[in-house]
Amino acid sequence: MAEAALISGLLSNLSPLPLIKDEFSLLWSFKKEVQKLSSTLSSISAVLEDAERKKDKDKQTEDWLRKLKDVAYEVRDIMDDCTYEDLRLQVNRRNASSSTRIKVTNSITHPFISTWTRLKVGHKIKDVQEKLNQISSERQTLHLRESIHDKFTSRWRETISLSSCNKVYGRDMEKKKIIDILVNNTSGACVDKKLSVLPIVGIGGLGKTTLAQTVFNDEEIAKHFEIKIWVCVSDEFDIQLVMKAILEEEKAEARSEELQKKVREKLSGKRYLIVLDDVWNEKFDEWDRLRSILDCGSNGAFVLTTTRKRNVATIMETIHHIQISLLSDEDCWLLFEERAFMCGTPKTPNFVDIGKEIAKKCKGVPLVAKTFGGQLSFKSDINEWSKIRDNEVWKTSQNEKESDLLPILRLSYYELPYHFRRCFVFCAIFPKDAKIEKERLIQLWMAHDLIPTVKNQEVEDIGNTIWKELCWRSFFQDEKLDCFGKEICKMHDLMHDLAQSVMKDECYRLDANSSNDGLKREIRHVRAIFDEFVKISTHSLKKIGGLQTLIFIKERNDKNVIKRISLSVLKKELPTLRVLKLGCYYVQYQDLHYLGCLKHLRYLDISGNKEITTLPDSICDLLNLQTLKLNGCSKLENLPRNTKDLISLRHLYLEGCDGLKCMPREMGQLKHLKTLSLFVIGMKEKDGQLDELKELDICGSLTIKNLGRVSDATIARRVSMAKMSSINELELFWRSDDEVDDNESKSTRDEKIGEALEVSTMLKTLMMYRYKGVNLPKLVSPTIPSAGVFPNLSELMISDCPKLGRLPPHLKALKDVTVWGECSDELLYSISNLSALTHLTLVFMIERSVLFGAGYKALMFDDEIPSTSSSSNNNSEAQLRGGVRSTFQSLQSLHISYCFNLRRLFDEGMISKISGCQNKHFINSLTELWIIDCPELMISVEEFVGNLNINNNSLQRLYISRCPKLVSSEEADDVIALLRSLRTRLCPKMFHLDILLGEEQKKKKKSQIRRTRRKDPLYDFK
């Protein structure tokens, strides 16, 4: 770890020494010793900034910092031991019954369990103090200058969008040239070659990937190619990984032959574009193997690659590569300027002049210009800008080589505050080009105490701010949401090199190419292939006794073979672990007992274990544990009964724990809990009850299962989750699949349960399963006026709720509704009147023969014209011709699937009535229509044109599949003509209609037969 950043982090945790102010604290007995320790560290830390900048040139300073770093870790471990004892005593105090409380209080007044423990801690403190005294005296000979430490401050403003500065400067000509080659093939490449390969070459940080992305996302490219695929290759050229990326099945397990077959099936005969980003492979045979697999497309298929190496380009190219140039000084300034003045720095002539000088020194490299622009946007002192401009590093880095960029980027690193530095360099533990999930990264930062504490702020919020600022300063890049809606980012290769150069020997990857000789005392973080880790001898593990992170990673060609690991080695040789990720490897129940000995552990991930049914109680001895991930432990039935003792737990992940039967009691005592992905209500009174959650402030998403089991006592007490103001997604299962739900009384009881639940109005997504009530659960406090309920609810999913009636009219933000299973006409009608609705999905309505049937029609027209008397039908019909309320006012996407008995979309009378109205369209502005697996469905021309209005210019996609009766024989010609005209307007990727393709194939076959008959009179007799 960066020495200065680590020591500053230790000091922030020691000061103002809260541990020695509590008379019940273990450290209280060592008050004087700890104060002296803190004083020594403070005096040393004053010169750390100067020492860290000098260490690259002065070996003596580098050795001094290494010694200091080792002692700093020892200090942290001592503090950890003492904190653990304090937490243990807190748990004992809380769990003590009234009969034993006096006895426990007496025992914790003098916190040491034994004299031996007291002596041990005392010796450790004395030992590190002596080492620090020696280090402090040595610093005098190094002539280091003192400097003032920065504290956590942030000028980050939420109004700044990380994606607001994504303009590409100085690449218009190169972009135009590449697109011209790809679309018009103006390169002079041989026409007999199906697969063309065009490399983009340039040094790191020059914007090769950015240029490729702008080409990849260009409209002209999207129209020209049938398939577009982006593959990040990076250092290791693994053909199987490339094939999985092409198939978008990165986690799939398959043999090479199967993958090749699937790739060819996907690409065969297609005009495709594949981008292979960041290629390093210089072995012709490897590329030739991949090329032979990909060479199955039509003429015009292209592979676009980016690489730093001209040798790589020469091996791959069929078209002479594009060598991208350095940016001009003007373009460098525009890129620098875009970021430098966005956070409040005044754009005065002085700042502009200095900024232009700095931009010139960036050597035409966009990454450098962006980094310094983002960095200086937080500095409004002109002297800070001048200091960057006048730094000597610019003089020593005059060449246009990647090796000369690292010292320049290191200068930007030293301009970061300490807490940013230590968070950034920690990311060296990730492999290059890794997708880094923000939520997980922040939890890892927390586990290593890298995030400073700020009064009245949650540590996760501070971590989020640090992440945003590192993105803004270009230490992270490519920030976006993944397919699961999680925020991710990457590190540029050069930034990764920078982090590794600072961390040096602290990060280690253990794989088949590693040797035991590589295991050194300095190693703190290990990513290990399972098979290689189990080969390590105990003697070799002792070399890295201070290990803090151990992450097991899956081997590339690993099969689904059950592999076991004994965790006893962790207890004996790796007691200081703070992060342990076991991955999907199988750990036996008895081995999990050893985890309880890892008292420093803060992050534990056992996700994917398919064997464990319960966790041992010893897990609950992990009193420092902040994050526990059990995702995908599908056979897990119970959590430990003492889960409440995990006093530091903040995040508990239980996604995919489908076998979980109940929750342990007193979960409400986990006062710091922020993430709880699943809560299962058990059948027994001794199981955890839902109202235990009312004191917690859960964030993110929460799934509650078996709501139908909520006790009458809990209903009477009400379950207020209004405190959970940060919950944005709530999933409610009223009963499990194996429960009988035909009892009519359950309808009333379900409604009572719904009334007892009180949920924050900040909810954005609500999903309900197997609810038997008629009225939508209120889910709010009676004190909240109904008009203001769920002002932010934008997504609603209803599954197997056949009796549910109308939705309330005040859901003004609701845009996306999905209904699975049968539903009432009242529900469907209320959905159609949602003013903000843009997406509607209707799935598995097995019993419906008409989607918008007579019941819907009655609601629609009766609601428009209230009847006061038995008026004549003729009068009603006349009124209806005057106009009908517009339904689905904003609907853009309609998706209907697996409605196996659905015969018509609209009631017959409804079609004619709508056609006779002034506003004749049932849906006005549809952009997407999907109908899949409705084998009985028939749609008339009148429905297509009148009700669905598919002739409108806003329609962009039409996908109808496996609907063999879609067109009646009487209207076949008219419907086919309509759909063909639509296909002509839409691009091929946006139109699919298998029945139309079938008709055309029949006609084509008949035409072929007629031509054959003309040529061969005996054809019919053969």
Side-chain angles (χ1 to χ4, degrees), residues 1-3 48-66 142 144 391-393 396 403 406-414 421 497-504:
M1 183 66 67
E3 288 81 359
L48 282 176
E49 183 69 21
D50 191 39
E52 192 165 34
R53 290 175 184 264
K54 287 181 177 178
K55 68 176 182 179
D56 296 323
K57 299 177 183 177
D58 183 9
K59 185 71 167 62
Q60 193 177 1
T61 303
E62 185 180 10
D63 290 341
W64 180 80
L65 278 172
R66 187 179 293 114
L142 299 175
L144 299 172
N391 194 285
E392 63 179 10
V393 73
T396 59
S403 57
L406 213 55
I408 296 174
L409 292 175
R410 189 174 284 114
L411 170 61
S412 70
Y413 164 77
Y414 285 135
R421 288 190 219 175
D497 292 342
L498 173 61
Q500 283 188 320
S501 73
V502 176
M503 290 288 271
K504 292 190 174 173

Side-chain angles (χ1 to χ4, degrees), residues 1 73 426 429 448 503 505-509 522-527 547-550:
M1 183 66 67
Y73 277 123
F426 173 78
I429 70 166
H448 292 287
M503 290 288 271
D505 296 327
E506 290 204 25
C507 296
Y508 188 73
R509 177 185 165 96
E522 294 84 0
I523 292 174
R524 303 285 174 180
H525 311 283
V526 169
R527 293 172 59 84
L547 193 67
Q548 296 176 5
T549 303
L550 177 57

Side-chain angles (χ1 to χ4, degrees), residues 58 131 237 334 365 398 562 614 640 658 660 688 777 786 826 903:
D58 183 9
K131 291 178 182 178
F237 192 78
L334 291 173
V365 180
Q398 296 292 335
I562 292 180
T614 189
D658 300 327
L660 205 60
S786 60
E826 287 82 0
R903 297 178 179 276

Side-chain angles (χ1 to χ4, degrees), residues 421-589:
R421 288 190 219 175
R422 58 181 180 255
C423 287
F424 164 68
V425 297
F426 173 78
C427 297
I429 70 166
F430 298 107
K432 280 189 176 180
D433 283 314
K435 294 176 183 176
I436 304 173
E437 184 190 318
K438 181 184 78 171
E439 192 175 274
R440 178 189 175 212
L441 176 60
I442 291 173
Q443 289 162 6
L444 292 174
W445 285 343
M446 288 164 49
H448 292 287
D449 291 331
L450 304 180
I451 302 174
T453 54
V454 178
K455 191 176 181 180
N456 298 327
Q457 284 195 49
E458 297 287 357
V459 65
E460 291 87 354
D461 294 336
I462 301 166
N464 184 50
T465 298
I466 293 172
W467 183 84
K468 284 182 177 179
E469 291 208 20
L470 287 172
C471 287
W472 176 253
R473 298 167 194 250
S474 296
F475 286 87
F476 295 159
Q477 65 178 29
D478 296 342
E479 58 282 346
K480 61 181 180 181
L481 297 179
D482 67 7
C483 57
F484 301 106
K486 294 184 181 293
E487 289 184 85
I488 59 172
C489 67
K490 286 186 175 183
M491 293 173 72
H492 191 282
D493 281 1
L494 286 178
M495 287 299 185
H496 193 277
D497 292 342
L498 173 61
Q500 283 188 320
S501 73
V502 176
M503 290 288 271
K504 292 190 174 173
D505 296 327
E506 290 204 25
C507 296
Y508 188 73
R509 177 185 165 96
L510 185 62
D511 55 26
N513 300 319
S514 310
S515 69
N516 285 353
D517 295 337
L519 298 174
K520 301 176 182 177
R521 183 176 56 85
E522 294 84 0
I523 292 174
R524 303 285 174 180
H525 311 283
V526 169
R527 293 172 59 84
I529 299 288
F530 174 84
D531 287 342
E532 303 306 318
F533 182 82
V534 295
K535 295 176 186 175
I536 299 176
S537 65
T538 303
H539 175 72
S540 297
L541 275 179
K542 284 181 179 177
K543 295 180 187 176
I544 51 173
L547 193 67
Q548 296 176 5
T549 303
L550 177 57
I551 297 174
F552 285 111
I553 52 179
K554 199 170 184 182
E555 205 164 4
R556 292 277 160 81
N557 300 317
D558 210 358
K559 305 299 179 186
N560 285 328
V561 178
I562 292 180
K563 298 183 177 182
R564 303 192 184 279
I565 178 173
S566 173
L567 300 181
S568 58
V569 67
L570 303 182
K571 173 189 173 183
K572 296 174 184 175
E573 309 301 340
L574 306 174
T576 58
L577 274 179
R578 285 173 162 244
V579 171
L580 176 61
K581 183 181 185 298
L582 293 172
C584 58
Y585 295 104
Y586 292 83
V587 181
Q588 293 181 323
Y589 174 84

Side-chain angles (χ1 to χ4, degrees), residues 844-905:
F844 283 114
M845 293 185 170
I846 308 296
E847 296 178 10
R848 276 188 178 259
S849 59
V850 181
L851 188 58
F852 302 102
Y856 183 96
K857 180 184 71 172
L859 288 166
M860 181 178 179
F861 292 104
D862 290 349
D863 202 23
E864 182 64 26
I865 305 167
S867 178
T868 56
S869 62
S870 53
S871 306
S872 67
N873 290 335
N874 291 335
N875 187 39
S876 294
E877 291 294 339
Q879 285 180 319
L880 286 171
R881 293 190 191 97
V884 176
R885 174 188 295 172
S886 177
T887 53
F888 295 114
Q889 299 168 32
S890 307
L891 191 66
Q892 297 173 7
S893 175
L894 176 60
H895 190 141
I896 304 168
S897 300
Y898 311 114
C899 299
F900 300 119
N901 293 309
L902 189 65
R903 297 178 179 276
R904 302 301 297 257
L905 293 182

Side-chain angles (χ1 to χ4, degrees), residues 133 221 269 358 427 646 792 903 970 1016:
N133 289 340
I221 293 294
I358 294 172
C427 297
L646 294 172
N792 299 303
R903 297 178 179 276
E970 294 83 2
D1016 185 1

Side-chain angles (χ1 to χ4, degrees), residues 600-616:
H600 297 271
L601 200 65
R602 283 154 167 80
Y603 181 101
L604 175 60
D605 189 348
I606 316 177
S607 297
N609 191 300
K610 306 295 183 185
E611 286 201 343
I612 54 171
T613 58
T614 189
L615 299 174

